[in-house]
Amino acid sequence: MVVTSAKPVPRQRVEEFVGRITGEYVSELQAGYLADQSWAVASLAQLRRGAGKLPQDVPELWGMTGAERLFADETLSEAKAAQAETAMFLAVTLYALHQQSQAEPMHRPGVELGEAVRRLMGDEIDEPIRRRFVRVGTAATRDALATRLREIITLLRRDAIPLDYGLLAGQLYLAQTPDGLRQVRQRWGRSFHAHRAKSASPGESPATPSKPTPSNKEAA
């Protein structure tokens, strides 16, 4: 996180970098959790405590979110470094909440937030969920954004609907930059409207997300 006189890293490149590093780290956690490895189960239990919060509010999680990987090969300004660390912290802790007690992977590359929320609604627009989604996009502070994302992720976990946490992390980085939140809102809106609930074949009822089965992983 040390500031140097090196040429500034372009914003788009930082967004992609943060997304890639976060996606790799979450994939490692997910693989360990689904294999019921004790280190991963314990890590996610601790990381869940930070869901909906900011890094400075949960110092006991410092060193647990993989943020050190952000500074191994890149030279970022102090501002970009802080934004990247916050984005990764939010994404990793929200993933830990999402994966809790789930037997299937809740990190799935390519599933954007808007699409996941639209899947959550099923065939018809659910107005309470739509309002929650709008509240995420209109959050005026990082604290509000973190809290409102936690509300959405809790609903996605309830119905076992996955999300791309690498993509989310990159977008959360962008959202902290000038005019970035507007761009992120546009992306979320496009993915929300682009998704169409798949109709069932004739004679079949619409598919519903499978419910998680109990496992020996702790649910605290």
Side-chain angles (χ1 to χ4, degrees):
M1 197 182 295
V2 178
V3 180
T4 73
S5 58
K7 184 178 180 180
V9 182
R11 183 172 68 173
Q12 182 179 11
R13 192 175 129 202
V14 177
E15 177 191 349
E16 295 170 353
F17 172 70
V18 171
R20 177 174 60 81
I21 294 298
T22 303
E24 290 172 356
Y25 187 63
V26 169
S27 293
E28 291 173 16
L29 289 171
Q30 179 165 269
Y33 184 82
L34 295 177
D36 207 12
Q37 296 178 2
S38 58
W39 69 269
V41 174
S43 293
L44 263 64
Q46 290 180 282
L47 288 167
R48 281 197 294 273
R49 300 172 189 170
K53 301 177 182 177
L54 297 176
Q56 61 268 28
D57 298 326
V58 201
E60 61 267 30
L61 295 184
W62 292 351
M64 293 191 61
T65 62
E68 68 280 355
R69 302 184 182 198
L70 294 169
F71 314 116
D73 301 313
E74 288 282 352
T75 300
L76 304 177
S77 68
E78 191 69 28
K80 288 180 178 178
Q83 292 163 348
E85 185 174 10
T86 295
M88 186 168 184
F89 178 94
L90 288 172
V92 170
T93 55
L94 287 169
Y95 163 73
L97 174 66
H98 198 168
Q99 189 65 62
Q100 182 182 10
S101 301
Q102 298 287 346
E104 298 298 324
M106 291 297 102
H107 165 57
R108 183 177 299 171
V111 181
E112 196 164 31
L113 183 65
E115 177 186 350
V117 172
R118 189 64 185 86
R119 288 184 183 181
L120 179 66
M121 292 183 182
D123 294 330
E124 302 294 334
I125 295 292
D126 183 300
E127 187 58 25
I129 293 176
R130 190 195 70 81
R131 286 198 297 267
R132 285 178 181 266
F133 182 49
V134 170
R135 277 168 47 81
V136 173
T138 57
T141 67
R142 292 188 305 172
D143 295 85
L145 180 59
T147 300
R148 294 173 187 181
L149 276 171
R150 190 186 195 282
E151 295 173 356
I152 290 292
I153 296 308
T154 300
L155 295 175
L156 295 178
R157 184 187 71 186
R158 181 195 68 188
D159 286 8
I161 296 172
L163 183 65
D164 186 336
Y165 279 90
L167 181 60
L168 179 65
Q171 293 173 339
L172 291 176
Y173 167 79
L174 178 60
Q176 299 173 77
T177 64
D179 196 44
L181 183 56
R182 181 187 63 81
Q183 296 178 50
V184 172
R185 282 199 301 262
Q186 288 179 333
R187 296 181 192 178
W188 289 345
R190 280 197 302 267
S191 66
F192 177 87
H193 292 296
H195 177 71
R196 296 290 181 270
K198 291 185 173 127
S199 301
S201 300
E204 295 180 353
S205 59
T208 56
S210 58
K211 298 297 182 183
T213 55
S215 71
N216 61 340
K217 300 182 179 70
E218 54 79 36

